[in-house]
Amino acid sequence: MVKYWKPGDTLEKFIDHTLLKPDATEADIARLCEEALTYGFHSVCVNGVWVDYCRERLAGSPVNISAVVGFPLGANDPRVKAHEAAAAVEDGASEIDMVLSVGHVLQGRFGFVAGDIAGVVRAVEGQAIVKVILETGLLDDTQIAEACRVAEAAGAHYVKTSTGFGPGGATEAHVRLMRASVSPTIGVKASGGIRDGRTARRMLAAGANRLGTSAGVAILSGRPADATPPAGHRSGDEPDGARSADSRAEGQEANRQY
């Protein structure tokens, strides 16, 4: 059931705590899971290679695991996406964030897009929900609206703005458009550039039902997303005494993070 935020509601259960940078290590993922447990986020969102490890770290907790599929380009063969989704569920994912084939949307080939999405939905039916990433920065409003309708018709449970790797990120205008383009029972996930509480609440007020962000801790604590954690903050202490970069994205992703 899709949950709608209301002013005065807390934010943690609307957040998918995200780490998708290519150089993430086991220590980084352990920290992500620790933060999700500490702050009570809805899920952690990770690449497929880390799903089984997250299942071990989160065992017995209410924190879900979201796995990305066809990420970040959406250009995989549909059979590969379906297999990738099924493998992620087998490893412990209960939510799949798949990237649709952006090129086919741009060509108006929505039959292909529908089949691509439906293949993933069938592969995890009854086991996981499917969120479809549109990469809205590459599409115009007409294409966004039609992609939303196609995703719903193909059985998706959510439509989502961005990967965080493409141009731009979530905007209130796109969230409103997406909300208006699907049924109330279909969720909208805003991701890309959500780095503080004010932005998070604006996206939820615009109609988002979930937020994808690597800045969840900063959003809840009220600190700037790039601030150094205060002395004694345990989430900076990695297992076995190792210390690694925090769960912020770096490099290519730095300006368009979840």
Side-chain angles (χ1 to χ4, degrees), residues 29-117:
I29 300 297
R31 177 189 216 170
L32 186 82
C33 292
E34 179 188 349
E35 290 172 343
L37 290 167
T38 298
Y39 290 91
F41 295 124
H42 176 84
S43 81
V44 294
C45 185
V46 296
N47 285 295
V49 70
W50 296 114
V51 172
D52 187 56
Y53 181 69
C54 289
R55 175 168 59 181
E56 295 176 9
R57 303 287 302 194
L58 298 170
S61 82
V63 179
N64 296 286
I65 301 170
S66 300
V68 292
V69 163
F71 194 87
L73 302 178
N76 311 61
D77 186 284
R79 294 168 295 180
V80 174
K81 290 183 186 177
H83 179 81
E84 186 180 9
V89 168
E90 183 178 344
D91 284 346
S94 59
E95 306 195 3
I96 299 296
D97 289 34
M98 68 164 291
V99 188
L100 54 63
S101 180
V102 181
H104 285 88
V105 174
L106 292 171
Q107 294 178 77
R109 295 182 59 188
F110 287 102
F112 181 96
V113 175
D116 185 35
I117 296 167

Side-chain angles (χ1 to χ4, degrees), residues 11-29:
L11 298 176
E12 65 274 5
K13 294 303 181 184
F14 293 90
I15 292 176
D16 291 339
H17 193 38
T18 302
L19 177 53
L20 297 168
K21 63 181 183 178
D23 57 342
T25 65
E26 187 172 286
D28 295 318
I29 300 297

Side-chain angles (χ1 to χ4, degrees), residues 103-183:
H104 285 88
V105 174
L106 292 171
Q107 294 178 77
R109 295 182 59 188
F110 287 102
F112 181 96
V113 175
D116 185 35
I117 296 167
V120 171
V121 171
R122 287 193 299 268
V124 301
E125 192 167 8
Q127 303 174 83
I129 69 168
V130 175
K131 310 183 198 105
V132 177
I133 307 172
L134 307 188
E135 202 67 282
T136 50
L138 294 173
L139 306 176
D140 63 29
D141 285 0
T142 299
Q143 292 162 339
I144 291 169
E146 185 63 16
C148 286
R149 290 188 285 267
V150 168
E152 179 174 2
H157 306 90
Y158 272 76
V159 288
K160 175 177 171 181
T161 58
S162 319
T163 62
F165 286 77
T171 68
E172 291 177 73
H174 283 161
V175 169
R176 289 193 189 95
L177 173 62
M178 293 165 70
R179 178 74 275 160
S181 301
V182 294
S183 303

